[in-house]
């Protein structure tokens, strides 16, 4: 089944923020279907996952992929994404890839072959990669769910903050943002400070200006705390390479 991403957007009028809690994961109950989430460890996939759960989808796996041939600008250590998985209580599958599309399809088909029922896939895309994910879901016969698709970037950031997510900048494009932005939290002053620094930068970093890591949120049972890190310049990006972290009980 091929689904237009616009029609698959979450109906936010039906979302009751006060009713979104851990029980929606723990009880594994859903009236919308079982879904996987494309997961990088950043804010967009995490918020999309949160929206999907709030709408009644059962998220039963996070899928994380890392390119073999080069380290991308939003590449995060598998240890960190596994820590997120444990904090959320949702199993994660991590795979290296040459072709993201082919690896995604392989992982989902393997899950199906093992007897898992999968009704859809959730992506955190805002304005790019529409054709890619349409093709993936069309070939797999899954519903395409894109809760953030074509939403206002500033509203996404405000929703992220108001929902209680804690997010830091993990990499920044060196010619747009200095290394002093690494580790910066996305807070109430973030959009204002970003505009003052460079008004051309998209508030969500949709053009690759920066990438993020979620350390806590409304569905997290535990909080991830960065203990040791190093700022590294690599392929025109400043990276916060995290060498030590702790998982704290909430």
């Amino acid at each position: 089944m091929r689904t237009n991403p616009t029609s698959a957007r979450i109906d936010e009028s039906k979302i009751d923020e006060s009713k979104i809690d851990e029980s929606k994961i723990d009880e594994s109950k859903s009236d919308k279907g079982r879904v996987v989430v494309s997961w990088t460890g950043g804010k967009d996939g995490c918020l999309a996952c949160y929206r999907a759960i709030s709408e009644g989808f059962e998220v039963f796996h996070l899928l994380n992929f890392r390119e073999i041939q080069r380290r991308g600008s939003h590449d995060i250590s598998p240890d960190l994404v596994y820590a997120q998985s444990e904090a959320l209580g949702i199993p994660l599958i991590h795979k290296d890839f040459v072709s993201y599309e082919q690896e995604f399809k392989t992982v989902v088909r393997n899950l199906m072959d093992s007897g898992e029922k999968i009704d859809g896939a959730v992506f955190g895309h805002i304005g790019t990669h529409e054709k890619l994910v349409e093709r993936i879901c069309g070939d797999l016969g899954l519903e395409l769910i894109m809760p953030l698709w074509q939403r206002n970037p500033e509203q996404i950031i405000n929703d992220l903050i108001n929902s209680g997510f804690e997010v830091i900048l993990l990499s920044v494009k060196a010619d747009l943002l200095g290394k002093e932005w690494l580790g910066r939290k996305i807070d109430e002053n973030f959009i204002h400070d970003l505009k003052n620094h460079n008004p051309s930068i998209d508030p969500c970093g949709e053009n690759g200006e920066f990438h993020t890591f979620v350390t806590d949120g409304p569905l997290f049972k535990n909080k991830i705390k960065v203990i040791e890190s190093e700022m590294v310049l690599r392929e025109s990006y400043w990276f916060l390479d995290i060498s030590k972290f702790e998982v704290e009980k909430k």
Side-chain angles (χ1 to χ4, degrees), residues 49-224:
C49 177
Y50 175 71
R51 293 297 184 191
I53 290 173
S54 74
E55 184 68 5
F57 290 97
E58 178 195 342
V59 175
F60 81 104
H61 267 99
L62 308 175
L63 307 185
N64 174 253
F65 301 94
R66 185 164 67 166
E67 190 169 0
I68 293 174
Q69 295 175 335
R70 67 182 182 87
R71 298 188 67 180
S73 57
H74 58 286
D75 192 41
I76 296 177
S77 165
D79 290 340
L80 289 169
V81 290
Y82 275 116
Q84 288 177 320
S85 166
E86 292 178 8
L88 286 164
I90 305 176
L92 179 136
I93 296 175
H94 167 79
K95 294 288 185 179
D96 292 331
F97 74 89
V98 174
S99 166
Y100 171 86
E101 178 175 354
Q102 293 306 315
E103 195 62 43
F104 192 102
K105 291 177 182 177
T106 296
V107 169
V108 170
R109 284 170 177 150
N110 286 343
L111 285 169
M112 290 175 170
D113 289 344
S114 69
E116 295 284 3
K117 178 179 181 292
I118 308 175
D119 300 297
V122 179
F123 297 87
H125 301 312
I126 299 170
T128 60
H129 307 302
E130 175 187 2
K131 298 302 181 184
L132 171 64
V133 294
E134 279 187 336
R135 186 169 61 247
I136 289 173
C137 288
D139 290 349
L140 291 171
L142 300 179
E143 179 182 0
L144 171 56
I145 303 158
M146 299 173 72
L148 310 184
W149 184 248
Q150 295 184 337
R151 289 187 58 202
N152 179 276
E154 291 192 15
Q155 188 59 54
I156 290 174
I157 295 298
N158 288 330
D159 286 352
L160 192 78
I161 297 166
N162 294 335
S163 297
F165 286 97
E166 292 187 11
V167 183
I168 62 171
L169 269 60
L170 200 67
S171 69
V172 299
K173 201 169 183 180
D175 62 351
L176 292 176
L177 294 163
K179 62 181 179 180
E180 66 272 11
W181 285 80
L182 291 176
R184 162 70 192 258
K185 288 187 178 181
I186 293 183
D187 55 20
E188 292 80 1
N189 298 317
F190 180 74
I191 294 176
H192 175 268
D193 293 346
L194 203 60
K195 285 183 175 180
N196 279 349
H197 178 77
N198 187 334
S200 71
I201 297 176
D202 184 271
C204 286
E206 185 67 2
N207 302 308
E209 299 97 328
F210 61 85
H211 296 281
T212 60
F213 178 71
V214 181
T215 58
D216 196 8
L219 294 174
F220 281 58
K221 299 178 178 67
N222 302 310
K223 179 178 179 178
I224 300 170

Side-chain angles (χ1 to χ4, degrees), residues 2-56:
R2 194 181 183 98
T3 305
N4 185 301
T6 302
S7 64
R9 289 175 61 187
I10 297 299
D11 182 356
E12 295 185 19
S13 65
K14 298 180 180 178
I15 295 175
D16 184 345
E17 302 285 354
S18 66
K19 294 181 180 179
I20 303 173
D21 55 35
E22 295 170 0
S23 66
K24 294 201 173 186
I25 291 177
D26 295 338
E27 295 175 3
S28 297
K29 293 180 179 178
S30 169
D31 57 4
K32 285 292 189 72
R34 303 182 83 224
V35 299
V36 294
V37 175
S38 178
W39 190 266
T40 66
K43 60 178 175 50
D44 299 334
C46 193
L47 184 59
C49 177
Y50 175 71
R51 293 297 184 191
I53 290 173
S54 74
E55 184 68 5

